[in-house]
Amino acid sequence: MLEHLLLAGALSVCTAGPDRAAEQARPAPPKGVAGVIVAVGDDRVELRQKDGAQVTVAMVPGWTLSYPADAGVDALRVGQFIGSANRPLGDGHGAANEVRVFEPGYLPEYGTHTLNAPGSIEGTMMTHGFVFGAEKSGGKLALQVFYPGGCRVIDVDEGMKVHVSVPLERSLAKPGLAVSAVMRPGADGVMRAARLTVPARP
């Protein structure tokens, strides 16, 4: 329930300040891949794609497995790591177009930057960080989202659908399972995925 969320005054408050989100270095674009598992290892997964081609996906140590589910804003909790595309409302403040709650252990990226993806509305920001506090007011939930180097207040309409990644035991990732993955470049420039996503609960 919303009342179970820790209110902003009880934790460090994300105060409004100059919105430097657009000045942050935009991460290299991710690359998606999907297919049926052929083989699984700690550092790589072999997939057979729809066209029959086999591809090796390098994996981040400790990678996770999850499936997507829809929920309401009452699913949001302090301590969760979230991603939100949001419209700028002013200094350090945005209005959520969407909110995604990631499973524990999956931290795709940190910070706020301009979203430059096909189909995205011009000026939209993308924020990834931990929820440190929240305050309900006027039919909205104002989330305080913290990340290294800053924080952002994101307003979420109480009627908004929240996308939640539900964790699964990694042992379920076996040959024959259809999955997708999003790869991002590491410090060494190698594209790796930090999780596999199953289309629906197995």
Side-chain angles (χ1 to χ4, degrees):
M1 300 296 292
L2 292 178
E3 55 265 32
H4 292 161
L5 284 161
L6 189 58
L7 294 181
L11 260 179
S12 300
V13 177
C14 180
T15 55
D19 193 345
R20 296 188 172 87
E23 299 174 20
Q24 294 186 11
R26 198 161 48 227
K31 180 182 179 182
V33 63
V36 174
I37 295 177
V38 175
V40 182
D42 289 335
D43 62 351
R44 65 190 62 246
V45 174
E46 302 286 341
L47 299 181
R48 180 173 293 109
Q49 297 178 296
K50 194 172 183 179
D51 61 3
Q54 191 162 312
V55 61
T56 299
V57 181
M59 303 297 293
V60 172
W63 55 270
T64 61
L65 179 71
S66 65
Y67 69 92
D70 289 332
V73 292
D74 57 349
L76 294 170
R77 297 284 186 276
V78 169
Q80 291 171 328
F81 189 83
I82 70 166
S84 174
N86 56 93
R87 306 182 308 278
L89 294 179
D91 291 346
H93 197 179
N97 294 333
E98 67 167 10
V99 178
R100 295 182 180 274
V101 179
F102 300 116
E103 68 270 25
Y106 180 60
L107 311 176
E109 59 185 65
Y110 279 113
T112 295
H113 60 84
T114 304
L115 181 61
N116 186 20
S120 62
I121 300 173
E122 184 177 356
T124 299
M125 312 303 291
M126 176 58 73
T127 298
H128 286 87
F130 286 98
V131 177
F132 266 51
E135 184 174 6
K136 187 173 75 167
S137 177
K140 297 181 184 299
L141 185 65
L143 298 179
Q144 296 177 41
V145 182
F146 281 71
Y147 42 83
C151 62
R152 190 168 180 83
V153 175
I154 299 177
D155 290 344
V156 182
D157 288 336
E158 287 188 25
M160 178 172 284
K161 184 182 296 183
V162 175
H163 306 286
V164 179
S165 294
V166 183
L168 292 167
E169 291 293 331
R170 214 171 82 172
S171 59
L172 294 175
K174 298 178 179 178
L177 183 68
V179 298
S180 61
V182 176
M183 299 181 289
R184 291 177 169 85
D188 57 2
V190 176
M191 298 287 284
R192 294 183 178 87
R195 73 166 169 181
L196 297 178
T197 301
V198 182
R201 183 171 184 169

